[in-house]
Amino acid sequence: MNAPVSFDQEKARETGRERLVVIGNGMAGCRAVEELLERDPDRYSVTIFGAEPRVNYNRIMLSPVLAGEKTFEEIVINGQDWYDDNAITLVSGDPVEHVDCANKSVISASGRVEPYDRLIFATGSDPFIIPVPGKDLPGVVTFRDLDDVDRMLGAAEKGGDAVVIGGGLLGLEAAHGLSLRGMNVTVIHLMPTLMERQLDEAAGWLLKEELERRGQTILTSADTEAILEKDGHVAGVKLKDGREIPADIVVMAVGIRPNVTLAKTAGMEVERGIVVDDHMVTSDPAVLAVGECVQHRGACYGLVAPLWEMCRALADGLTDRPSGYQGSVTSTKLKVSGIDLFSAGDFSGSDGSEDIVMRDAARGVYKRVVVQDSKVIGAVLYGDTADGNWYFDLLKKGEDISDIREALIFGQAYASGGALADPNAAVAALSDDAEICGCNGVSKGKVVACIDAGAHSVDAVRSTCKASASCGSCTNLVESLLAITLGEDVESGPKTMCKCTSFTHSDVRRLILEKELKEIPQVMQELHWTTPDGCSSCRPALNYYLLCAWPGEYVDDQKSRFVNERLHANIQKDGTYSVVPRMWGGLTNPKELRAIADAAEKYQARTVKVTGGQRIDLFGIRKEDLPAIWADLNAAGMVSGHAYGKALRTVKTCVGSEWCRFGTQDSTGLGVKIERMTWGSWMPHKFKIAVSGCPRNCAEATIKDFGVVCVDSGYELHVGGNGGIKVRATDLLCKVETEEEALTTCAAFIQLYREEAHYLERTAPWIERVGLDYVKSRMFDEADAVAKFAARFRISQKYSQIDPWAQRAGGDRKDLHTHLGEVRPLQMEDAL
Amino acid sequence: MIGNWLDIGPVNQIEPGMARTLPVEGGEEIAVFHTMTGDFYALVNKCPHKQGPLSQGIVHGAVVACPLHNWNISLKTGEALGGDEGCVPTIPLKVDAGRIYLLRSAVLGEKPKPEAA
Ligand code: SRM
Ligand SMILES: Cc1cc2nc3c(=O)[nH]c(=O)nc-3n(C[C@H](O)[C@H](O)[C@H](O)COP(=O)(O)OP(=O)(O)OC[C@H]3O[C@@H](n4cnc5c(N)ncnc54)[C@H](O)[C@@H]3O)c2cc1C
Ligand code: SF4
Ligand code: FES
């Protein structure tokens, strides 16, 4: 062929865009472009060639189209408007016939020449035709594109006999469709078991029985010898054993072969498929390939899930942030309505592997999980596939299942030990990246995000992120996600701690004690967390629960602390920090004030403010300066005010009997004593205390977590107040006569709260949840309960009342306050 | 000739599950992450939402939760996850013989230079 082309270099330079040409307007080709547009919509000017004379549609949905459950319009993924809106040139019905790698251009059947900077092969695969006599007869069709479906529908209109050669996924879906369309269907399968690559004998048998019950004839171990002809048209199929089956149409669905012809002639390295590296680049650096036509690390795929992953890696590479495709583990579902079938991984069973099987004859359920070295390596489910995704997740993650081995086969709800009756728990515990909708490659995280963004019905979810919009076999999962995320179905199960576990906060707290779990990774392992290292909501909670359960023993995990608690200061919107030293009971003195003033100047605090908690806040301190400012404040006798912590904040006081004409007791003095007793304690949430000297209540004690109102005869102790988002006045807990009793009761109440509330639950919502009576009964039903709680609090305080500022000022955890280094470009250039 | 990679020191200066910072004179501060599974990533230390310092977030998997408003940012791609939109530049990083290297040109915010300039 002559070197073609007037290269339109000038135009490319004008638009500033690189020219990207895609061969193949199928699932992978268009998905790759979608991914690219998502990352960088302005980088490439895109032209897509498609052999088929139509827009991009969901090929896997041809089965429901054949079965009459969908129309073509319903399975279009990207209509013409998508091409228009994104300025993509679609050349459809015009296959590319020649690729000139040297001159970087492609030429189509109609003679169109298109230069490229980057080229993507997405040519999919071709159906394999078994080389038997009669294979080219009219009436012999394959099942690959819409034209094939139209041919089958044409035949079905006339009724009669259909023979499907091939009892795999594709063949059975074709058979199902034709049978629903009223044809008399026979499936001819070479192997003894249907779908033998996905199913074992038992499941294959159940499937065969069900299909026969529906009126299909299934011939296994049947080898085709020839396709018979009558009047120039197909008339039947002859088997090697001599049997003859009449046929008005024969569907060949025996397998596929990567479509590599074009790539091969163009000189690309081709084996079974077009050979690509982890970034989907072929042997020619300007040419990429994606989808069924590729061979990656020796593997070719015939399902869509790997293709989504390939497209992500490809787009990452094309936008200069290479991520790399690592190969895929695949799972299979059969899209035949009323038949639930799932299979994944390897279930052939080898030396070291072990089978766990469950059968429920009455319900027609068969489940088999194959385990090797304490890991799931394969699963076959028939009749009940609810746990398919869970097993697939275990398989992909290579999770150690020895702890749940006993219950594994019963499914996730059982194996996780929690909420047995709750089907949502199974879905809740799937990890964020677990695939919900295989047809459209939508993960759980995406579905939840789309629900969070306002899609509050199955329909809304379908139209926004496409989950369950195709074959619909995941609709129940989407419904569960809606219920979990929106809490509509609250009765069906308690809320789990977070998406990483199926346990509730209370379960986790109980199990930590029962099983003596003492480290975060141990909790995650023992309680089968579904994520490798939790998330930003469960990690801080677990850290607190362990700290509370094992005082003095558990070593605080800094990486599970929110930044404020890790840096012992409050992060501000500009990334600097605020510093609030403790002022016991709101008291201060000239020496402290002078030190604060000096520190404010020395570290250039841009704002100095009196807080709502009776102390002083210094704003705008850099993280590098924190240890130094703390050292200065320490030197004047001040310690951290924990203004940043889920911890004791302030003890607000009024002047009380010392000065006030109404004061009944020394409220200031008591406040200082309480703060000295309680400071440093970590709690489920922040905890505020106040002491007022008389019922005028100038310290606002009745909106604090713990409030003392002094009266002539002693002290009223109030709990569960909150002045924040939702104001709640306190409940009266009890009245005591002495300061000593007030202190002990305060300690006991705090300890009860620390031991039983959920993380991030302040005393107000906690008491609303458990009830004041419960709190009272825990504290007062047994004569020595208060003393016991208080004693536990004091033990824990022995380990908490160490000023974190002093530790850091003394050089502890320097890494948290210093940079790795600093880059000064000039010096670097000099050195060059 | 130093090469295209900038040596920023040994791997053990960042605890797994944490991040540390690298200011760049006249450029963007960089956050270098060490995940619990032992991988390293570098991003510009600015959340795509409102410039929160990502280095101070909680790291889980290959994701950091921004300390300001808890957006989850992928350490691999710099993209905001879970429905939030935005992306922070990533800095190519490699670990070799126990030391961390950043792509020099990316640190300086330049287009890559040919090896033998
Ligand atoms: C500094 C201060 C405002 C001030 O300038 O006065 C303040 C500042 C903040 N408050 Fe507050 N609150 C401050 C007194 C209060 C008070 C008044 C009080 O304590 O008497 C309240 C209402 C009383 C209460 O808590 O019941 C209060 C109710 C809140 C709330 C809502 C809590 C709730 O349960 O509804 C939040 C949000 C939260 O904690 O999740 C909050 C959160 C915050 C945060 C931590 C927001 C944040 O997450 O970054 C602010 C950061 C402060 C900083 O950087 O130093 N702040 N905050 C006050 C510090 C007091 C202290 O000395 O420690
Ligand atoms: C009926 C059916 C049911 C299926 N069901 C499932 C299922 O349930 N689950 C699952 O995971 N997978 C299923 N699959 C497989 C899935 O559809 C494929 O894995 C997927 O379509 C592959 O995408 P692709 O882009 O690589 O190829 P395709 O989608 O086939 O796209 C390739 C496109 O390139 C075009 N083309 C080829 N050569 C040229 C050329 N030279 N110039 C221009 N255009 C060209 C082709 O015409 C075609 O449109 C099913 C497939 C079929 C046919
Ligand atoms: S009231 Fe709101 S804005 Fe003011 S300090 Fe508290 S949290 Fe910040
Ligand atoms: S700045 Fe990061 S989430 Fe808002």
Side-chain angles (χ1 to χ4, degrees):
Chain A
M1 185 144 233
N2 291 329
V5 214
S6 60
F7 272 35
D8 209 348
Q9 299 283 18
E10 281 317 311
K11 182 154 171 261
R13 224 169 273 140
E14 258 166 46
T15 60
R17 295 190 179 198
E18 293 164 67
R19 291 157 310 188
L20 177 72
V21 170
V22 182
I23 309 178
N25 189 35
M27 300 197 68
C30 290
R31 178 64 160 234
V33 173
E34 282 179 19
E35 292 278 358
L36 261 182
L37 291 173
E38 221 171 77
R39 285 166 181 69
D40 191 348
D42 298 318
R43 172 136 177 196
Y44 292 100
S45 134
V46 181
T47 304
I48 305 179
F49 284 88
E52 295 181 61
R54 49 186 75 90
V55 293
N56 171 226
Y57 63 94
N58 193 342
R59 188 170 311 286
I60 76 176
M61 299 311 290
L62 288 175
S63 302
V65 170
L66 178 66
E69 294 159 356
K70 297 261 169 184
T71 62
F72 178 72
E73 287 67 36
E74 286 171 46
I75 71 164
V76 166
I77 301 177
N78 291 304
Q80 187 59 45
D81 50 344
W82 175 75
Y83 298 90
D84 297 344
D85 293 349
N86 293 294
I88 297 164
T89 309
L90 169 64
V91 188
S92 63
D94 192 8
V96 170
E97 290 197 328
H98 183 80
V99 174
D100 183 346
C101 291
N103 289 309
K104 287 195 169 176
S105 72
V106 304
I107 304 165
S108 75
S110 73
R112 182 176 175 131
V113 174
E114 196 71 33
Y116 65 84
D117 296 306
R118 297 291 190 125
L119 179 67
I120 301 179
F121 275 92
T123 46
S125 42
D126 291 327
F128 183 61
I129 313 275
I130 41 171
V132 287
K135 66 181 167 55
D136 298 321
L137 282 171
V140 177
V141 302
T142 55
F143 190 15
R144 183 68 196 176
D145 61 24
L146 189 67
D147 297 331
D148 295 329
V149 172
D150 287 340
R151 276 179 216 118
M152 283 189 248
L153 290 179
E157 252 170 43
K158 296 185 213 115
D161 300 310
V163 169
V164 176
I165 304 180
L169 186 108
L170 220 57
L172 293 183
E173 291 184 5
H176 172 67
L178 290 169
S179 159
L180 283 187
R181 295 281 182 178
M183 295 196 82
N184 185 17
V185 179
T186 303
V187 176
I188 296 176
H189 191 53
L190 183 62
M191 307 302 286
T193 304
L194 288 177
M195 292 180 69
E196 77 286 348
R197 282 190 306 164
Q198 290 90 18
L199 297 184
D200 59 11
E201 210 185 345
W205 179 79
L206 282 167
L207 176 62
K208 177 167 178 251
E209 223 194 14
E210 171 63 23
L211 294 174
E212 285 172 344
R213 207 183 55 72
R214 294 174 174 212
Q216 297 180 25
T217 307
I218 311 287
L219 304 179
T220 49
S221 303
D223 201 356
T224 306
E225 187 176 89
I227 294 171
L228 307 173
E229 175 223 346
K230 193 180 170 196
D231 305 333
H233 190 273
V234 68
V237 173
K238 181 169 185 218
L239 299 181
K240 290 226 166 108
D241 62 12
R243 276 183 285 178
E244 282 184 18
I245 302 116
D248 299 298
I249 182 168
V250 171
V251 182
M252 281 243 201
V254 293
I256 51 169
R257 291 222 161 140
N259 180 350
V260 298
T261 330
L262 189 62
K264 203 173 195 166
T265 11
M268 239 65 68
E269 192 193 338
V270 169
E271 287 171 13
R272 263 190 309 150
I274 306 171
V275 177
V276 293
D277 68 9
D278 289 358
H279 307 284
M280 313 314 293
V281 179
T282 68
S283 55
D284 177 343
V287 181
L288 298 92
V290 71
E292 278 185 351
C293 62
V294 310
Q295 176 178 330
H296 171 260
R297 298 190 190 171
C300 296
Y301 297 93
L303 292 166
V304 291
L307 172 167
W308 309 136
E309 293 172 32
M310 289 179 192
C311 287
R312 282 195 280 272
L314 173 135
D316 284 340
L318 281 181
T319 50
D320 302 327
R321 24 187 146 133
S323 53
Y325 169 64
Q326 307 299 323
S328 303
V329 189
T330 55
S331 67
T332 310
K333 288 180 193 152
L334 183 68
K335 301 194 298 299
V336 170
S337 39
I339 297 184
D340 287 332
L341 179 163
F342 175 92
S343 108
D346 171 12
F347 45 82
S348 47
S350 58
D351 286 350
S353 76
E354 187 192 353
D355 283 338
I356 314 174
V357 175
M358 192 193 81
R359 291 171 199 262
D360 182 344
R363 284 168 58 228
V365 171
Y366 168 79
K367 295 179 165 192
R368 170 163 167 235
V369 177
V370 188
V371 173
Q372 186 163 30
D373 300 331
S374 298
K375 286 179 184 144
V376 173
I377 59 163
V380 184
L381 310 177
Y382 186 91
D384 174 3
T385 52
D387 285 302
N389 284 2
W390 183 59
Y391 292 125
F392 190 40
D393 220 31
L394 289 175
L395 187 156
K396 280 195 292 188
K397 293 212 167 98
E399 217 132 312
D400 187 312
I401 52 94
S402 29
D403 290 336
I404 53 171
R405 165 83 179 62
E406 298 300 309
L408 187 68
I409 197 70
F410 299 107
Q412 181 175 27
Y414 290 84
S416 320
L420 284 191
D422 181 14
N424 286 344
V427 182
L430 285 175
S431 65
D432 248 3
D433 51 5
E435 196 164 77
I436 297 294
C437 175
C439 300
N440 294 300
V442 188
S443 67
K444 177 182 162 192
K446 276 197 185 157
V447 177
V448 172
C450 134
I451 296 171
D452 284 342
H456 288 177
S457 67
V458 171
D459 278 351
V461 169
R462 286 178 175 165
S463 60
T464 36
C465 68
K466 295 183 193 162
S468 80
S470 295
C471 79
S473 69
C474 62
T475 308
N476 56 340
L477 294 180
V478 171
E479 277 166 355
S480 290
L481 286 174
L482 280 161
I484 295 159
T485 315
L486 300 173
E488 275 163 3
D489 219 1
V490 257
E491 305 88 20
S492 66
K495 204 167 170 290
T496 65
M497 193 164 144
C498 69
K499 64 184 187 335
C500 308
T501 174
S502 59
F503 289 108
T504 63
H505 280 271
S506 305
D507 287 338
V508 172
R509 295 205 78 167
R510 175 176 52 80
L511 289 164
I512 285 175
L513 294 171
E514 266 175 35
K515 299 185 160 213
E516 303 204 10
L517 307 177
K518 300 200 169 173
E519 281 175 68
I520 289 179
Q522 191 190 9
V523 177
M524 291 181 173
Q525 182 63 29
E526 293 284 318
L527 306 186
H528 357 109
W529 243 240
T530 59
T531 47
D533 41 36
C535 68
S536 58
S537 85
C538 61
R539 291 248 310 273
L542 292 181
N543 188 50
Y544 168 71
Y545 291 156
L546 291 168
L547 202 65
C548 178
W550 315 111
E553 200 179 338
Y554 176 70
V555 183
D556 201 315
D557 182 30
Q558 289 295 299
K559 58 189 174 293
S560 297
R561 288 279 192 181
F562 178 63
V563 57
N564 287 1
E565 298 187 340
R566 194 183 326 125
L567 288 191
H568 296 283
N570 297 61
I571 195 164
Q572 302 297 317
K573 59 190 248 187
D574 65 352
T576 65
Y577 293 83
S578 82
V579 170
V580 186
R582 213 163 266 293
M583 281 184 180
W584 308 97
L587 292 175
T588 183
N589 57 46
K591 183 183 166 214
E592 285 181 356
L593 290 173
R594 206 168 283 127
I596 289 174
D598 288 343
E601 276 180 356
K602 182 164 162 193
Y603 301 99
Q604 295 159 6
R606 296 202 299 279
T607 299
V608 181
K609 181 181 181 301
V610 174
T611 74
Q614 296 189 334
R615 46 206 192 155
I616 292 174
D617 202 343
L618 305 174
F619 288 90
I621 312 298
R622 302 185 308 150
K623 86 174 172 203
E624 305 86 278
D625 287 339
L626 289 172
I629 189 172
W630 293 335
D632 289 5
L633 295 169
N634 278 161
M638 283 176 278
V639 296
S640 164
H642 292 84
Y644 47 79
K646 310 295 170 221
L648 187 269
R649 294 282 174 94
T650 64
V651 179
K652 193 167 169 175
T653 67
C654 71
V655 284
S657 58
E658 193 81 337
W659 295 93
C660 176
R661 62 203 166 104
F662 294 114
T664 61
Q665 311 281 356
D666 177 12
S667 50
T668 324
L670 177 57
V672 172
K673 282 182 196 149
I674 292 181
E675 191 162 356
R676 293 262 178 213
M677 174 181 79
T678 53
W679 78 277
S681 167
W682 295 108
M683 316 251 196
H685 206 311
K686 58 187 174 192
F687 196 96
K688 299 176 178 181
I689 300 179
V691 187
S692 287
C694 83
R696 285 169 196 76
N697 193 12
C698 297
E700 300 165 320
T702 48
I703 50 160
K704 297 294 180 240
D705 297 277
F706 188 85
V708 182
V709 176
C710 303
V711 290
D712 277 331
S713 55
Y715 306 84
E716 288 174 7
L717 305 183
H718 298 261
V719 294
N722 192 326
I725 300 162
K726 188 159 167 270
V727 182
R728 182 181 194 272
T730 46
D731 296 307
L732 179 64
L733 181 69
C734 63
K735 203 182 141 191
V736 296
E737 282 170 17
T738 64
E739 271 199 352
E740 206 35 56
E741 286 170 285
L743 282 162
T744 308
T745 313
C746 174
F749 174 77
I750 290 180
Q751 187 63 12
L752 176 64
Y753 168 62
R754 296 183 71 231
E755 288 177 6
E756 298 195 356
H758 297 168
Y759 192 64
L760 292 189
E761 183 175 47
R762 273 189 83 174
T763 57
W766 172 58
I767 288 180
E768 296 274 314
R769 178 167 66 85
V770 301
L772 180 68
D773 288 343
Y774 172 81
V775 173
K776 281 186 173 169
S777 79
R778 294 284 283 143
M779 289 183 71
F780 306 126
D781 277 3
E782 275 172 47
D784 57 352
V786 166
K788 279 184 176 161
F789 277 119
R792 286 211 289 281
F793 181 67
R794 294 205 162 96
I795 290 171
S796 131
Q797 284 299 80
K798 271 207 314 215
Y799 304 100
S800 322
Q801 293 196 322
I802 300 159
D803 178 27
W805 287 2
Q807 289 180 312
R808 294 286 166 87
D812 190 34
R813 294 305 306 244
K814 268 206 181 82
D815 62 314
L816 297 179
H817 299 275
T818 54
H819 295 301
L820 280 172
E822 197 171 336
V823 181
R824 297 211 188 75
L826 275 181
Q827 289 179 5
M828 283 173 43
E829 296 311 308
D830 284 351
L832 268 168
Chain B
M1 182 67 212
I2 291 180
N4 284 330
W5 294 91
L6 180 66
D7 181 345
I8 60 164
V11 290
N12 63 8
Q13 57 188 341
I14 311 175
E15 192 187 315
M18 301 276 236
R20 294 187 66 190
T21 43
L22 186 71
V24 178
E25 198 176 88
E28 299 278 17
E29 183 165 291
I30 293 167
V32 187
F33 292 85
H34 188 180
T35 67
M36 231 91 86
T37 45
D39 296 322
F40 287 85
Y41 299 98
L43 308 178
V44 166
N45 194 19
K46 260 189 187 177
C47 180
H49 179 218
K50 295 191 172 176
Q51 284 83 53
L54 295 173
S55 58
Q56 309 295 21
I58 291 182
V59 180
H60 51 106
V63 173
V64 61
C66 176
L68 291 196
H69 316 100
N70 210 32
W71 277 26
N72 276 314
I73 309 294
S74 159
L75 297 178
K76 292 184 179 164
T77 63
E79 276 172 79
L81 304 172
D84 291 320
E85 293 204 358
C87 187
V88 53
T90 56
I91 316 292
L93 177 154
K94 69 173 184 184
V95 171
D96 191 15
R99 298 189 73 83
I100 309 169
Y101 297 83
L102 299 183
L103 188 66
R104 175 182 301 271
S105 53
V107 170
L108 299 176
E110 289 168 358
K111 288 260 174 277
K113 277 195 184 123
E115 188 81 37

